[in-house]
Amino acid sequence: MSHPASAVSVLDRPADPSQHSTPAARPTLSVVIPTLNEEQNLPHVLAGLPAGVDEVIVVDGHSTDDTVGVARRLRPDVRIVMQTRRGKGNALASGFAVASGEIIVMLDADGSTDPREIPRFVAALLAGADFAKGSRFVAGGHSDDITPVRRLGNRFLNRLVNLAYRTRYTDLCYGYNAFWRSCLQDMQLDVGGAAERQADQAMRWGDGFEIETIINVRVARAGLRIAEVPSYERPRLHGASNLSAVSDGLRVLRCIASERFRPTRRRRADQTRALPELSPALSG
């Protein structure tokens, strides 16, 4: 599958203008950034945010460094949320729950995802997609971070999802995505509450890195319009990754199997035509 670097790869059905009727003013934009001891990386990430971001939500996993203080100093309008449990999945769910923007962007705090690519994702949504999914493996995308083992695992899991759910994803395990707020009703993520935060309960299903697969599968099963956007992944700037290729890969595998038995309501049935390509001016 070949696409110009300035285009998106369209995976699902065409735009329905009645679904996302935006006024003349641009839609509001929230960026959700999960953090855990990212004080050294946050300055690079926050500095790269493009103009037009209305809300920055840093969801912290009880960092022991000065992550929260750094965020507040660099971005006085930042909204700090303490996640209810542990894990990236729970952090994202906690951030989504309080986001006020019409468009929500998922951005990593370690510098691996480039915030300057956000306009590409927004352009895909404005062109008619419900969910804009980053891909390192379409034309214009690349990764300087993925290891051979992780690449092989991602390829296997990607093919498994495409076979099981009749999707056409090219990069299942990549967490740089943007979507209209209305997609949250199809994701149905478990946030938890204050009691869980105080009890410091163990991670629940969906709280880990499997969150990306859960989201990808659920939006596809709901029949949403999905567009893949080329993205360039860089190595983490500072610190060590919390990702475990084996244990997290097994959680993703379990996710692929278990989601098939989860009841879902399909919002749309027609997935036959393609969205128009984005112009270079729109794709950032």
Side-chain angles (χ1 to χ4, degrees):
M1 187 163 56
S2 176
H3 311 280
S6 62
V8 294
S9 164
V10 178
L11 303 182
D12 287 311
R13 59 155 288 178
D16 178 356
S18 66
Q19 293 296 323
H20 302 303
S21 54
T22 56
R26 63 172 178 80
T28 53
L29 177 64
S30 296
V31 177
V32 176
I33 308 174
T35 60
L36 180 62
N37 298 325
E38 301 286 3
E39 65 175 356
Q40 290 183 286
N41 296 320
L42 267 186
H44 303 275
V45 175
L46 295 179
L49 289 172
V53 172
D54 299 283
E55 181 179 53
V56 177
I57 301 172
V58 167
V59 187
D60 193 63
H62 305 278
S63 294
T64 56
D65 67 2
D66 195 31
T67 292
V68 172
V70 168
R72 285 178 170 148
R73 287 193 294 273
L74 294 176
R75 185 101 185 189
D77 63 341
V78 70
R79 188 169 183 183
I80 303 294
V81 175
M82 304 306 292
Q83 66 181 98
T84 56
R85 295 189 293 267
R86 296 187 297 115
K88 182 180 182 180
N90 176 255
L92 286 171
S94 299
F96 297 164
V98 301
S100 62
E102 296 166 84
I103 290 175
I104 300 173
V105 178
M106 304 160 49
L107 188 68
D108 287 345
D110 61 4
S112 61
T113 51
D114 188 351
R116 294 172 299 180
E117 293 178 356
I118 288 176
R120 291 187 188 179
F121 290 82
V122 173
L125 298 176
L126 294 179
D130 297 307
F131 187 85
K133 181 178 180 353
S135 174
R136 300 163 288 184
F137 306 125
V138 293
H142 185 68
S143 176
D144 285 334
D145 183 60
I146 193 168
T147 64
V149 171
R150 285 170 50 205
R151 183 185 294 269
L152 184 63
N154 186 38
R155 185 179 302 166
F156 167 74
L157 295 169
N158 195 92
R159 289 179 179 175
L160 196 58
V161 163
N162 286 343
L163 181 64
Y165 297 99
R166 298 181 180 180
T167 52
R168 287 180 285 164
Y169 287 126
T170 65
D171 193 0
L172 180 71
C173 302
Y174 188 51
Y176 198 173
N177 306 310
F179 53 89
W180 292 98
R181 181 179 178 79
S182 60
C183 294
L184 290 175
Q185 64 182 299
D186 301 293
M187 297 178 189
Q188 296 185 347
L189 304 178
D190 175 25
V191 179
E196 291 173 309
R197 183 186 301 115
Q198 293 171 1
D200 191 26
Q201 292 188 359
M203 288 172 60
R204 292 190 180 182
W205 178 239
D207 283 355
F209 285 98
E210 72 275 8
I211 185 64
E212 290 144 9
T213 301
I214 288 175
I215 289 174
N216 293 335
V217 167
R218 290 182 182 178
V219 297
R221 291 190 71 197
L224 301 188
R225 297 177 296 264
I226 303 167
E228 285 193 326
V229 178
S231 181
Y232 180 56
E233 181 187 36
R234 293 163 174 77
R236 163 182 274 274
L237 293 173
H238 303 281
S241 172
N242 294 312
L243 178 67
S244 168
V246 176
S247 62
D248 289 312
L250 290 174
R251 288 176 73 94
V252 170
L253 189 61
R254 176 190 166 194
C255 164
I256 294 170
S258 64
E259 285 292 312
R260 286 185 60 83
F261 301 99
R262 180 180 174 275
T264 189
R265 179 178 62 87
R266 194 170 181 81
R267 279 210 266 161
R268 303 183 178 90
D270 177 17
Q271 296 187 1
T272 56
R273 292 180 291 164
L275 293 171
E277 290 185 351
L278 299 180
S279 69
L282 283 177
S283 50

